[in-house]
Amino acid sequence: MTVVLGIETSCDETGVGLVRDGVLLGDALSSSMAEHVRFGGVVPEIAARAHVSALVPCVREALASARLTLDDVGAVAVTSGPGLSTALHVGVGAAKAYAQALGVPMYAVHHLAGHAAADTLAHGELPSRSVVLIVSGGHTSLLLVRDLVRDPVVHLSDTMDDAAGEAFDKVARLLGLPYPGGPAIDRAAREGDPTAVAFPRPLTGRNDPPLGFSFSGLKTAVARHVEAAAAAGRELSVPDVAASFQEAVADTLTLKAIRACREHDVSTLVIVGGVAANSRVRALAEQRCAEAGIELRVPPIRLCTDNGAMIAAVGDLLVRAGARPSDARLSVQPSVELTWAQLDPTADPDDAEPSVA
Ligand code: KG4
Ligand code: ZN
């Protein structure tokens, strides 16, 4: 059985993971988050430079935690998109170097397929059909997933504007909370009343697309509320606004995710990505899935946010499916859509994608 080394550098986390046969053997993570805080968002050049210094130490740390050496690595998987171009280049360059030096195949992986695969490390193989709600800083999508590495992923809906995590980050800024906004709002909301402000539930009207997402209007509603309080000289309760905003997001996400399961006759919902770490999203999803008789799978928090283990997990699935390696000349794809978990498989004149046997 092959040990897969996974490398993730699409944003501000340098992640390395080692997976064999569906089992996480060891991993390491280094974040440049602290260096971006004063800019209120990730600065691509700073992120890339941090990846350059953190990558090799992370590989060593992951190997040490798995009690393995580089000689045990049988394949390399790397995020080649989507993400920040400068940041992706560091991971892809490193993956090529490791694969070449070790004489092992390399698999280029879609970052969002990694988020979905993260759950397999905690809860085992995905069922033959599942609805996956991906909620991260850059994406909010409902996906119909069959075999993650053999079948194309079907997009049931993608956000029309801001991603859920982006809305958390922007609302946190409006409330004077630190970056990243999600964890800060989650913390502030614990002391607040989720019914204090009746924020809108976007696209939940009778004539709206049943599975559609849009978060920019909700963010504007919070901005108007903050402005109105300032104009009236009213003191703003940050915990109440945070809790009410978080409730609106959690309500909308879970409502639509369960609707997607029903519409497509799917009995398993998987919630992944940074916003899946949100305590209210997790609690409300649990409650509503139990009521609807739907099995809910949410990875532990450290596997929800960006990490290398999730990329190794996709690599491991590809290896076990007999996929052809990715083309060694591959480059980064900063805005590639998720259709296939593997990017740039080597060409086979006899058939089209995917490359699996
Ligand atoms: O998946 P991720 O780590 O990176 C991307 O691929 O985007 O997601 C990062 C996003 C950020 O917007 C962050 O604010 C949000 O996930 N996030 C949260 C929580 N933890 C992280 N949002 C809400 N509640 C949280 N506890
Ligand atoms: Zn991510």
Side-chain angles (χ1 to χ4, degrees):
M1 277 185 292
T2 306
V3 173
V4 181
L5 170 74
I7 296 175
E8 154 64 37
T9 65
S10 68
C11 193
D12 58 347
E13 318 277 354
T14 312
V16 174
L18 292 150
V19 171
R20 180 180 53 207
D21 201 22
V23 178
L24 175 58
L25 305 172
D27 63 342
L29 194 67
S30 169
S31 178
S32 59
M33 184 78 77
E35 295 173 60
H36 307 288
V37 169
R38 69 192 172 100
F39 301 101
V42 176
V43 182
E45 289 74 13
I46 294 176
R49 206 172 315 144
H51 289 310
V52 170
S53 22
L55 212 141
V56 172
C58 274
V59 170
R60 291 203 181 116
E61 190 187 326
L63 285 167
S65 73
R67 295 176 189 280
L68 295 172
T69 70
L70 273 178
D71 291 336
D72 298 309
V73 171
V76 178
V78 62
T79 304
S80 65
L84 303 169
S85 171
T86 54
L88 289 166
H89 273 293
V90 179
V92 168
K96 286 181 183 179
Y98 278 114
Q100 178 115 37
L102 299 172
V104 301
M106 175 181 64
Y107 298 86
V109 165
H110 195 290
H111 178 79
L112 296 181
H115 275 300
D119 189 66
T120 65
L121 297 174
H123 301 121
E125 261 177 55
L126 291 173
S128 57
R129 293 171 83 243
S130 55
V131 165
V132 177
L133 171 64
I134 293 203
V135 269
S136 71
H139 297 86
T140 298
S141 303
L142 275 167
L143 310 171
L144 180 63
V145 172
R146 280 85 47 97
D147 185 313
L148 186 61
V149 298
R150 287 188 167 90
D151 300 319
V153 171
V154 178
H155 288 241
L156 304 175
S157 81
D158 300 293
T159 182
M160 296 162 72
D161 41 56
D162 293 358
E166 193 179 349
F168 269 97
D169 294 333
K170 288 177 176 170
V171 165
R173 205 186 295 192
L174 288 170
L175 296 179
L177 295 171
Y179 177 85
I185 288 184
D186 203 341
R187 270 193 306 277
R190 276 186 223 147
E191 317 295 324
D193 173 6
T195 63
V197 191
F199 287 127
R201 276 32 177 180
L203 298 185
T204 51
R206 192 184 290 262
N207 297 320
D208 289 324
L211 303 181
F213 291 119
S214 160
F215 291 102
S216 106
L218 176 57
K219 169 200 68 193
T220 307
V222 178
R224 294 288 164 271
H225 181 82
V226 172
E227 285 161 16
R234 254 185 297 123
E235 203 188 321
L236 192 75
S237 163
V238 169
D240 280 354
V241 177
S244 302
F245 162 76
Q246 179 172 276
E247 191 65 24
V249 176
D251 187 12
T252 313
L253 290 175
T254 52
L255 176 98
K256 304 244 171 180
I258 287 175
R259 196 178 275 170
C261 290
R262 288 218 175 97
E263 273 186 16
H264 293 271
D265 201 18
V266 168
S267 58
T268 303
L269 171 64
V270 189
I271 309 185
V272 294
V275 181
N278 184 266
S279 59
R280 186 57 186 149
V281 170
R282 295 170 87 96
L284 195 56
E286 234 163 72
Q287 182 195 323
R288 289 185 170 169
C289 282
E291 285 161 9
I294 291 168
E295 183 206 11
L296 175 67
R297 296 174 50 147
V298 193
I301 288 176
R302 70 183 198 94
L303 291 176
C304 284
T305 44
D306 290 349
N307 64 84
M310 69 187 200
I311 303 306
V314 180
D316 170 60
L317 290 171
L318 286 164
V319 167
R320 286 193 281 146
R324 289 192 304 276
S326 295
D327 194 318
R329 293 159 301 178
L330 76 100
S331 189
V332 301
Q333 299 191 48
S335 39
V336 62
E337 292 274 332
L338 174 59
T339 305
W340 299 104
Q342 184 186 8
L343 301 174
D344 296 302
T346 43
D348 180 336
D350 292 337
D351 66 4
E353 293 179 290
S355 70
V356 287

